[in-house]
Structures are given as C-alpha cells and as structure tokens.
Amino acid sequence: MIEPGQAFGTGSHATTRLTLELLATLEPEGALADWGCGSGVLAIAAARLGWAPVLACDVEPESVAATREGAAANGVRVEVSRCDVRQGGPPARTVLANLVRPLLLEVAANLPQVPDRLIISGLEGDEPDEVVPAFARHGLVETRRRSGDNWSAIELIHSRS
C-alpha cells in the first residue's frame, strides 16, 4: 500500500518494476539504502523482503513524509532522512538509486563511499552506455540488467566483493 501524496512514485513505472525484479532475486544481506526514495516504494519493498536496516533519503520533505507514512501503513521499519543524493546518501552494502541520468552522473562523480552492490535505474534508451562507465571508475562492474519499455535497471557489484 503506497499513497504517494505529493511525492514521486506510485510503483507502476517501468524503472520501479525493473528495480524490484532485480531486488527480489537477491538474498537480503545487511543494510540497504534507497537514495532518492520518492514515495518509498523501493525502500518499503526491501523491508518487506527482509533487508535490515533499510535507510531511505530524498531531498524533498514531501517524499520523506510519504515514505514514513508508507512504511507505517505497511508495518515495516524504514529509517528516512533528507539528503541531496548528488553528495551521496546513507551508507549501506546495497544501494538503490532510481534516478534520472543527470543525477546518476552526479552521484557517480561524487560517490563518497562505494557500496558492495548498487542498483541503478531511471535510464532510458542508450543512457546506460554513458552512466555505467561513470560508476566503473569506482570499481563497480555490471552484473545484471533488466530492460523494458525502453527503460533499464542495472545491478553493479564492486570488484572487491
């Protein structure tokens, strides 16, 4: 149950579905962060799948409020804060970043800590050809990709993992 209010995301967009497809195949291990959480769909789903702790952040106060309300309505614990993802977000072994291409490029340029696993989405058409190499500079290597409706979600694993 998600009531986005004024926050971005009802969970029906292809990028959300593709990210969930990748996430659902993983065994929950340790902390997971959702950078740019919008309405909290991905963070709430991660908590329901057994990830803990789940950390979510967004620059918009409406998104923070919607994520808190959604987590409560779904009976899960999600720690929510405000952050500017261009400077990173809460550190975690696994990070979700369902953002647009320009934001993902800024995240890659300013990544303060490299997660073990990063799932990026919000990429249209051939945008992954530019964004994936930006994260490769941090030792993050593409391992899986889901595509549909001209959108992609991509799992990147740090080469040390």
Side-chain angles (χ1 to χ4, degrees), residues 105-122:
L105 290 171
E106 286 190 63
V107 168
N110 300 311
L111 195 62
Q113 294 180 338
V114 181
D116 294 342
R117 175 184 291 114
L118 174 64
I119 297 176
I120 57 173
S121 57

Side-chain angles (χ1 to χ4, degrees), residues 85-161:
V85 296
R86 292 174 288 210
Q87 303 305 314
R93 290 185 64 196
T94 299
V95 172
L96 310 177
N98 185 9
L99 306 166
V100 294
R101 180 192 139 281
L103 274 177
L104 285 168
L105 290 171
E106 286 190 63
V107 168
N110 300 311
L111 195 62
Q113 294 180 338
V114 181
D116 294 342
R117 175 184 291 114
L118 174 64
I119 297 176
I120 57 173
S121 57
L123 298 168
E124 198 171 12
D126 61 357
E127 291 177 342
D129 297 340
E130 179 183 8
V131 175
V132 170
F135 285 101
R137 291 189 296 255
H138 298 285
L140 290 159
V141 179
E142 180 177 342
T143 56
R144 296 187 302 152
R145 182 183 297 206
R146 293 280 193 271
S147 298
D149 297 331
N150 201 39
W151 295 95
S152 294
I154 301 162
E155 176 185 48
L156 306 167
I157 301 289
H158 195 274
S159 55
R160 72 174 178 268
S161 300

Side-chain angles (χ1 to χ4, degrees), residues 19-20 24 29 41 61 86 91 108:
T19 301
L20 286 171
E29 359 176 308
V41 171
R86 292 174 288 210

